[in-house]
Amino acid sequence: MNNDSGIDLGNADEFTVAQKVGQLFMLAVFINDSDEEVEKVERIITEKHIGALCFFHSRASTATNFEGKKKVLFNENSYERLKTLVKKYQEAANTPLLIAIDAEWGLAMRIENTPRYPYALTLGALRHKEDLIYEVGRKIGMDCLQAGIHWNLAPVVDINSNVENPVIGYRSFGDDKEQVTQKAKAYLKGMRDVGILNCLKHFPGHGDTKTDSHLALPVIDKSERELLKNECYPFEKLLPEHIDSIMIGHLALPQVDDSEKPATLSKKVITEILRNRLGFEGVIISDALNMHAVSKRFPKKGDLESEAFKAGMDMFCFSEHPEEAIEKIILQKDDMRIQTSFERVWKLKQKTFKLSNSENDKVLSTEQLNLEIAKNCITELFGNAHKKLVNNHYENALNLIIGNPKTNLFSTNLEEILGIETHTLAPPSLELVQNRSKNKNHIVIALFPPSVKPQNTFGFDSALLNALNDLLNLGNCSVYLFGNPLVLNLLPWNRANAYVLVYQDFPEFQKIAYQHFTGKIPALGRLPVQLKMNHHEI
């Protein structure tokens, strides 16, 4: 098991049992940690022979603090800090660490001032454009490698079958299992071609839930047959694509495992279904073990990891008590089982540290790639918004901005180039703007949801939503939605209105939206999820 590349992994045959168990742990580390916290991590890495790290922005930004109201501080130097910490932690390690991160839509998911790419749901709107999704995977892989990261914990291959899903939603390619599979395949190939490790998540499928597993345990009350036919479909079909790892979601599956254990701790799910039935041979990694769906079940330090290991887990992500957990796994005295998991992790290290990342062919810039995606994903519902303005008479039209975008090139162009009167619809001026709207032939609404997640009506104030509903009931509106298309479930349907899905609020998408409005480009996208459409008959 020696590695003959330029990076010395050491002789794995000489590792003690404790050192092998240490290699199974992926610590959570934070870009904005204090020096004292960094020193503590360095000590654990050195003393416990930790195998991997997963970078997060800050302790305040971790998902379990969604309800904690801890303020997340902006740090414009996060990227440089990340690279500094990668070097520092590697120097503390006895064996080179695997460095991981959640970069589903790029490093920007965790790090300020880094390239950001469209959400998976946006990519789901593309039709027959897997080449663009391939480029997204490739660009993200290159960005990761330049930062010293080897392992992108992506893509999400959950099928977004529940419109009320609070945590997957926009992170999924859509609600069609075939489309999810094909788009994930293109993303994976892009990453693979630049030498970045991948991870399918969240097995056996987190798409059909109404509960956020960061905060509580979701229940998927489906039979094993149903799961294999639907939720597990992308995982199974993608196995031939050189899958490095699969992440287990924190999900209760009462029809599959009547022990009431979440999938993270279920031998039935991990060993019998994923390992034996589907035949996956790579690393099985836990979702973050600090998540309340599982962490609240185990008050004794180390018990959670020990139980997950018994179920067949290979690697423990975001273990909060690695020192105690390592001791409890050693006490199981299952050296053969330890060796098996260790060899899987070691194989990833051999693959990573012997790769020589050759120069890549010329690739599109991030801006060019985002423009191409925007051009090909923009989606019309119920007709062309441009044609709603009879004979291009803009003088009796009104543009209303809803939300608070950092930039709004769409509305700026409507006002400065086309001369369309523009106002922001906000609580202090709701009545005034509504009165002005009544005298206009056409209203163009630039809709920027405050949140991409459905909690609390995507962050919209109730009075603002009511005003928007009143406007749409007039039947002379064109809505350009720069966000999650599931926002439309909050709005009244009316064929007299035009609904245009732009999906992202990036400047590139705003430019394309304006070009669409002026009739310069067609809408080529396809809605990747089903809407409720339960307000009005359409």
Side-chain angles (χ1 to χ4, degrees):
M1 293 178 64
N2 288 315
N3 183 294
D4 57 4
S5 73
I7 297 179
D8 183 14
L9 286 176
N11 187 351
D13 297 329
E14 296 177 356
F15 278 33
T16 66
V17 170
Q19 290 170 338
K20 290 176 181 179
V21 175
Q23 290 292 300
L24 309 183
F25 280 75
M26 176 184 282
L27 298 188
V29 291
F30 304 91
I31 296 163
N32 291 292
D33 257 354
S34 67
D35 290 341
E36 181 181 358
E37 289 161 335
V38 169
E39 289 173 7
K40 180 180 177 182
V41 171
E42 288 179 294
R43 178 186 61 77
I44 297 173
I45 289 171
T46 303
E47 293 180 0
K48 298 301 176 181
H49 292 262
I50 297 300
L53 304 178
C54 185
F55 271 91
F56 294 84
H57 180 269
S58 58
R59 294 176 188 269
S61 70
T62 57
T64 51
N65 288 322
F66 283 157
E67 308 301 321
K69 282 74 176 183
K70 293 181 181 178
K71 187 175 181 180
V72 179
L73 299 177
F74 181 86
N75 179 3
E76 65 179 15
N77 297 315
S78 283
Y79 182 68
E80 291 304 319
R81 174 69 169 168
L82 166 67
K83 291 197 293 184
T84 297
L85 287 178
V86 167
K87 184 174 183 293
K88 194 175 187 65
Y89 290 143
Q90 289 287 21
E91 289 173 350
N94 300 297
T95 303
L97 295 155
L98 287 174
I99 307 296
I101 198 167
D102 291 300
E104 295 165 21
W105 57 89
L107 293 177
M109 184 171 172
R110 297 286 184 235
I111 308 164
E112 297 97 335
N113 296 330
T114 55
R116 58 177 184 162
Y117 304 89
Y119 298 133
L121 193 61
T122 304
L123 301 178
L126 295 169
R127 288 198 277 192
H128 314 300
K129 285 290 180 180
E130 274 71 26
D131 58 319
L132 293 177
I133 301 174
Y134 167 86
E135 286 298 332
V136 170
R138 194 174 179 215
K139 289 280 289 179
I140 290 173
M142 292 167 65
D143 293 343
C144 286
L145 291 172
Q146 288 172 6
I149 293 166
H150 318 111
W151 197 348
N152 183 12
L153 302 181
V156 169
V157 294
D158 301 317
I159 301 166
N160 189 24
S161 54
N162 190 326
V163 297
E164 297 180 28
N165 196 310
V167 66
I168 299 302
Y170 65 102
R171 299 166 63 192
S172 164
F173 290 108
D175 60 14
D176 180 275
K177 65 183 182 182
E178 295 285 356
Q179 288 296 311
V180 168
T181 302
Q182 288 305 309
K183 291 179 184 335
K185 182 178 178 180
Y187 183 102
L188 285 163
K189 188 175 188 307
M191 288 203 299
R192 185 172 68 245
D193 282 357
V194 296
I196 195 88
L197 299 177
N198 59 57
C199 180
L200 302 184
K201 57 190 189 187
H202 306 80
F203 189 85
H206 205 315
D208 192 11
T209 68
K210 292 184 180 180
T211 303
D212 184 347
S213 53
H214 294 98
L215 306 174
L217 182 64
V219 176
I220 299 182
D221 196 14
K222 296 183 179 182
S223 67
E224 182 177 336
R225 182 181 178 184
E226 287 178 292
L227 284 171
L228 289 169
K229 183 179 178 180
N230 296 296
E231 276 77 3
C232 295
Y233 181 89
F235 294 93
E236 182 176 12
K237 293 298 181 183
L238 290 168
L239 288 186
E241 302 303 316
H242 308 282
I243 303 306
D244 297 306
S245 62
I246 291 179
M247 181 178 287
I248 305 296
H250 302 315
L251 308 162
L253 306 156
Q255 290 192 51
V256 176
D257 188 339
D258 58 10
S259 70
E260 299 185 359
K261 291 180 179 179
T264 324
L265 310 173
S266 170
K267 190 169 186 177
K268 171 74 174 179
V269 172
I270 296 173
T271 300
E272 293 183 27
I273 296 179
L274 180 54
R275 191 67 81 192
N276 297 338
R277 180 159 184 170
L278 298 186
F280 179 59
E281 297 179 354
V283 170
I284 297 177
I285 183 173
S286 71
D287 205 345
L289 294 176
N290 72 320
M291 291 163 64
H292 294 173
V294 291
S295 64
K296 296 296 183 183
R297 298 167 62 97
F298 292 91
K300 291 185 178 178
K301 296 178 180 180
D303 281 0
L304 171 56
E305 294 86 347
S306 180
E307 288 301 307
F309 180 76
K310 288 177 185 176
M313 194 74 69
D314 294 313
M315 180 160 267
F316 309 96
C317 177
F318 214 137
S319 169
E320 294 188 288
H321 310 293
E323 294 166 291
E324 293 85 355
I326 289 169
E327 292 304 315
K328 289 191 174 181
I329 290 173
I330 293 171
L331 287 174
Q332 291 185 25
K333 297 187 182 300
D334 193 343
D335 289 359
M336 183 176 294
R337 173 75 181 79
I338 291 169
Q339 180 67 22
T340 300
S341 287
F342 169 72
E343 287 182 357
R344 292 191 185 112
V345 172
W346 195 256
K347 188 175 179 181
L348 284 191
K349 290 200 168 187
Q350 289 180 312
K351 176 179 178 179
T352 296
F353 294 110
K354 82 166 96 176
L355 280 174
S356 59
N357 297 309
S358 57
E359 288 188 18
N360 292 288
D361 297 333
K362 186 176 181 181
V363 295
L364 294 172
S365 69
T366 302
E367 182 180 4
Q368 289 172 324
L369 179 55
N370 285 340
L371 274 170
E372 283 299 310
I373 293 170
K375 191 184 301 181
N376 285 280
C377 78
I378 194 166
T379 306
E380 289 177 348
L381 298 181
F382 317 137
N384 189 307
H386 172 68
K387 292 178 181 176
K388 296 289 181 182
L389 295 179
V390 180
N391 298 323
N392 298 342
H393 288 167
Y394 301 121
E395 62 271 11
N396 201 31
L398 179 70
N399 171 222
L400 295 182
I401 304 164
I402 301 177
N404 187 29
K406 292 181 179 179
T407 60
N408 187 353
L409 302 177
F410 176 71
S411 294
T412 298
N413 287 340
L414 292 185
E415 184 173 36
E416 295 181 357
I417 299 175
L418 302 183
I420 295 178
E421 180 183 348
T422 297
H423 295 281
T424 297
L425 186 66
S429 59
L430 285 181
E431 188 175 350
L432 174 64
V433 173
Q434 283 178 295
N435 287 335
R436 293 190 69 84
S437 303
K438 292 175 183 177
N439 300 318
K440 298 296 182 180
N441 290 339
H442 198 85
I443 303 167
V444 184
I445 297 172
L447 185 58
F448 293 86
S451 173
V452 73
K453 297 177 182 178
Q455 295 104 316
N456 303 315
T457 60
F458 291 91
F460 281 118
D461 175 87
S462 58
L464 188 59
L465 263 185
N466 290 336
L468 176 56
N469 274 255
D470 290 343
L471 287 169
L472 292 171
N473 282 323
L474 295 174
N476 64 342
C477 297
S478 295
V479 179
Y480 278 77
L481 174 55
F482 297 86
N484 191 330
L486 295 177
V487 167
L488 295 183
N489 287 328
L490 305 175
L491 307 179
W493 288 95
N494 186 329
R495 281 193 182 276
N497 295 320
Y499 296 85
V500 182
L501 309 179
V502 190
Y503 299 99
Q504 305 279 163
D505 64 358
F506 300 180
E508 299 94 333
F509 283 73
Q510 296 169 13
K511 291 176 183 177
I512 293 299
Y514 175 74
Q515 289 183 28
H516 172 267
F517 180 80
T518 54
K520 293 178 181 176
I521 64 165
L524 300 174
R526 162 193 160 275
L527 183 64
V529 289
Q530 295 295 312
L531 300 173
K532 287 182 180 178
M533 298 189 179
N534 58 357
H535 298 281
H536 292 267
E537 184 178 351
I538 55 170

